[in-house]
Amino acid sequence: MPESRTGGRILVDALRTHGVDLVFGVPGESYLAVLDALHDSPIRFIINRHEGGAAFMADSYGKLTGRPGVCFVTRGPGATNAAIGVHTAQQDSTPMILFIGQVGNDFVEREAFQEIDYRRMFGSMVKWAAQIDRADRIPEYVAHAFQRATSGRPGPVVLALPEDMLADSAAVADARPYQPVQAAPSAAQMTRLREMLAAARHPLLLLGGSGWDAQACEDLRRFAEANALPVACAFRFQDLFDNRHPHYVGDVGIGINPQLARRVRESDLILALGPRLGEMTTGGYTLLEPPCPRQKLIHVLTGAEELGRVYQADLMINSGMPQLAAALAALPPVDAGARRASVAQARAEYEAWQQEPPVFRQTDAPLNLWQVVQTLQSALPADTILTNGAGNFATWAHRFWRYGGLRTQLAPTSGAMGYGVPAAVAAAIVSAHQGRPRMVLNFAGDGDFLMTGQELATAVQYGAPALFIVFNNGAYGTIRMHQEREFPGRVSGTGLRNPDFAALAKSYGAHGESVAATADFGPALRRALDYMQDQGLPALIELRYDTELITPGASLSAIREAALAARGN
Ligand SMILES: Cc1ncc(C[n+]2csc(CCOP(=O)(O)OP(=O)(O)O)c2C)c(N)n1
Ligand SMILES: [Mg+2]
């Protein structure tokens, strides 16, 4: 007979069973029994300053380790604050488990204090939302949650924990560790894939999605080299292939290199390995047209239910990425000699796209953001983790940064502003916890930063030395840009009056400074890196520049004038 334990303890023991070492969250009186059980547990509880930050950190943990990120929040307000991270885990296919303290079963269905039905609230956002009503079933529910979050297409799971259930005791045994389940390609599918590859003249590999590991990326590299394949990465999955590799030709996302867009359109075979082929990766469903694209399409996904959802591929394969990549690496190469020159050409187009954009020659901007990225890239190690949220500033990362391979990028395909700051804090904490501290760099917009900037307090509390670069253009610039395109000259709801970011950083105990001219950035970076190194604490450098510098390709006034001209004004 197992010993009797409280629900809180059974739950924390279950987390241990499944290998959890670190959880994120904001406390609430609804789950005191869990907090109490954590008191005696080796699991580290990173406390956050907002549940949105906690949920983003759990998503980042999932992206960095491939294991579910775990987040604890309280009922009602805590759960609603956390929703942005759950949605991001869904869109990014990140394994994640959100535990929510819940109203006790003695008060349920009265709309008691902070009561929400989480099955209905999160229903369409998660792989599974459930409530554990009996302490003796905790091991079963938690094992199911880990299984569900990691098998097939990974994603978020929500478990609600009624307060009285957590306080109850039960004599129940622990479950076994979860075993993620993934399909593998069949021999017949691999034969067909090889035939299609042998027949193609302009094939293109498009990588994306979650569930990759180091071996899978290595296998994939060998396959791409042996078959002379150009490799592109889907929107915000740019770290699946080392961007310095001669076969890497760019990312298929927002602000795509027009040369690469042409290659996607003119390709006669797209091997989409892992990406969902969503709106951002298909140029709003134009680069590939649903339901039957002009290009031949091989679509491989971890989730069977996603195959054929938008695109009826010529060959659909349901497979995990390690299983697929191993099969690809074992495939006898096709005769691809004729393609080598075209790979080199595509690579040259990528490199040309990364050169200094003309906007700095057209404007007299005192701060050259392209130069800033070059300075950062040459000062920081290749395995630096670069994080960002959403906004036009992210272009400076996606287009000009060379991601150094698997797990060097944390960025939301959901386009969630505020993702990058907590992601950076999580990356610094998680990598140090794993015994291999990494350099972590965050690019944030002024709007983006202030959505979750209070997680700087978390960074300081836990000694997480990430470097934050705030792109301050005094505006929700992306929306301003769209405004100038659609309603030229009519600025509405997009201007920002900001705090002093350097002073703000200092008030948290971080290093802070502000830069407005190109020549000042290098010395500022040196001081920031020295501080991080000496103190083990974060640093922030604000970049001040005019809203006019809205994209690398065109200034705001050029966008407005083009829009006015198109309207005949
Ligand atoms: C949580 C959230 N709210 C609103 C939006 C809509 N949105 C997309 S970009 C953007 C402006 C971003 O501003 P900023 O961070 O300053 O970057 P900039 O575009 O100015 O470089 C907004 C409001 C969003 N994507 N996410
Ligand atoms: Mg801005």
Side-chain angles (χ1 to χ4, degrees), residues 392-393 445-448 471-478 496 498 545 550:
N392 268 27
F393 69 88
D446 47 339
D448 180 57
F471 288 67
N472 182 4
N473 58 0
Y476 286 130
T478 310
L496 293 175
N498 283 311
Y545 60 99
I550 196 69

Side-chain angles (χ1 to χ4, degrees), residues 301-321:
L301 285 176
T302 51
E305 71 285 358
E306 282 292 310
L307 285 163
R309 177 176 179 169
V310 180
Y311 296 105
Q312 292 183 303
D314 299 85
L315 175 61
M316 303 187 203
I317 302 178
N318 177 209
S319 172
M321 294 304 121

Side-chain angles (χ1 to χ4, degrees), residues 29-116:
E29 70 274 29
S30 57
Y31 68 95
L32 288 174
V34 176
L35 292 172
D36 186 64
L38 283 169
H39 182 271
D40 308 318
S41 157
I43 294 175
R44 248 178 111 194
F45 184 27
I46 304 297
I47 47 170
N48 293 90
R49 303 310 175 104
H50 186 286
E51 290 84 353
F56 280 148
M57 288 200 196
D59 175 275
S60 302
Y61 180 100
K63 286 193 176 90
L64 285 169
T65 65
R67 290 183 279 124
V70 174
C71 181
F72 278 92
V73 300
T74 197
R75 53 204 194 180
T80 45
N81 268 351
I84 190 168
V86 177
H87 177 247
T88 295
Q90 178 197 31
Q91 293 235 296
D92 293 10
S93 308
T94 311
M96 172 179 161
I97 302 174
L98 176 69
F99 290 98
I100 306 170
Q102 169 65 310
V103 171
N105 277 306
D106 42 350
F107 291 173
V108 75
E109 288 296 345
R110 290 179 179 167
E111 198 192 315
F113 183 56
Q114 304 178 332
E115 182 180 351
I116 295 179

Side-chain angles (χ1 to χ4, degrees), residues 354-357 360 366-378 396 400 517-519 521-522 525 543:
Q354 285 198 320
Q355 295 308 304
E356 181 173 358
F360 293 107
L367 181 63
N368 183 323
L369 298 175
W370 178 82
Q371 194 57 57
V372 165
V373 178
Q374 306 308 306
T375 305
L376 284 164
Q377 185 100 60
S378 48
W396 299 101
F400 298 106
T518 313
F521 184 74
L525 176 61
L543 305 176

Side-chain angles (χ1 to χ4, degrees), residues 162-175:
E163 200 176 331
D164 52 347
M165 183 282 293
L166 289 175
D168 270 358
S169 290
V172 62
D174 292 321

Side-chain angles (χ1 to χ4, degrees), residues 110-442:
R110 290 179 179 167
E111 198 192 315
F113 183 56
Q114 304 178 332
E115 182 180 351
I116 295 179
D117 179 341
Y118 301 105
R119 296 185 190 91
R120 279 188 286 156
M121 174 182 166
F122 286 107
S124 66
M125 229 191 272
V126 295
K127 294 189 74 179
W128 184 46
Q131 180 163 312
I132 312 180
D133 284 326
R134 293 169 54 119
D136 61 358
R137 291 191 64 191
I138 292 173
E140 172 196 335
Y141 272 80
V142 175
H144 183 184
F146 276 84
Q147 204 65 42
R148 204 57 180 265
T150 53
S151 298
R153 178 184 170 194
V157 165
V158 164
L159 284 180
L161 310 168
E163 200 176 331
D164 52 347
M165 183 282 293
L166 289 175
D168 270 358
S169 290
V172 62
D174 292 321
R176 290 187 203 145
Y178 74 105
Q179 312 167 34
V181 176
Q182 293 295 350
S186 71
Q189 286 171 327
M190 293 311 292
T191 304
R192 180 82 191 106
L193 180 149
R194 188 173 182 281
E195 283 165 9
M196 289 174 70
L197 186 58
R201 294 178 48 130
H202 304 293
L204 178 73
L205 274 185
L206 179 56
L207 310 184
S210 66
W212 293 85
D213 60 21
Q215 184 61 49
C217 290
E218 175 62 18
D219 285 344
L220 205 279
R221 180 185 62 76
R222 292 214 315 264
F223 168 71
E225 286 171 357
N227 293 280
L229 293 165
V231 182
C233 288
F235 179 57
R236 294 187 174 158
F237 288 108
Q238 265 168 276
D239 61 346
L240 294 178
F241 201 81
D242 190 335
N243 294 185
R244 295 161 300 171
H245 190 282
H247 284 231
Y248 181 73
V249 300
D251 71 308
V252 182
I254 300 176
I256 186 174
N257 179 355
Q259 302 282 359
L260 181 57
R262 178 184 52 75
R263 280 183 184 274
V264 174
R265 267 194 223 95
E266 293 175 2
S267 161
D268 58 353
L269 175 65
I270 309 264
L271 288 102
L273 312 181
R276 285 185 57 241
L277 298 176
E279 183 181 342
M280 294 299 142
T281 299
T282 59
Y285 305 102
T286 59
L287 294 176
L288 290 137
E289 285 164 30
C292 304
R294 271 173 294 112
Q295 307 92 326
K296 285 226 178 319
L297 177 63
I298 298 177
H299 200 181
V300 188
L301 285 176
T302 51
E305 71 285 358
E306 282 292 310
L307 285 163
R309 177 176 179 169
V310 180
Y311 296 105
Q312 292 183 303
D314 299 85
L315 175 61
M316 303 187 203
I317 302 178
N318 177 209
S319 172
M321 294 304 121
Q323 293 79 355
L324 171 82
L328 289 173
L331 214 58
V334 300
D335 177 11
R339 283 207 292 268
R340 299 213 180 261
S342 122
V343 174
Q345 176 61 31
R347 175 71 189 181
E349 289 163 7
Y350 163 70
E351 290 182 2
W353 180 241
Q354 285 198 320
Q355 295 308 304
E356 181 173 358
V359 73
F360 293 107
R361 271 171 267 130
Q362 290 155 5
T363 61
D364 50 7
L367 181 63
N368 183 323
L369 298 175
W370 178 82
Q371 194 57 57
V372 165
V373 178
Q374 306 308 306
T375 305
L376 284 164
Q377 185 100 60
S378 48
L380 302 184
D383 71 346
T384 295
I385 299 172
L386 175 51
T387 79
N388 62 268
N392 268 27
F393 69 88
T395 310
W396 299 101
H398 301 335
R399 176 164 161 187
F400 298 106
W401 186 261
R402 290 195 180 167
Y403 295 87
L406 186 69
R407 294 178 180 145
T408 58
Q409 179 180 34
L410 293 172
T413 65
S414 66
M417 287 173 73
Y419 181 84
V421 172
V425 180
I429 291 174
V430 172
S431 64
H433 186 81
Q434 292 176 334
R436 230 192 112 230
R438 300 260 294 272
M439 173 58 71
V440 182
L441 172 63
N442 164 248

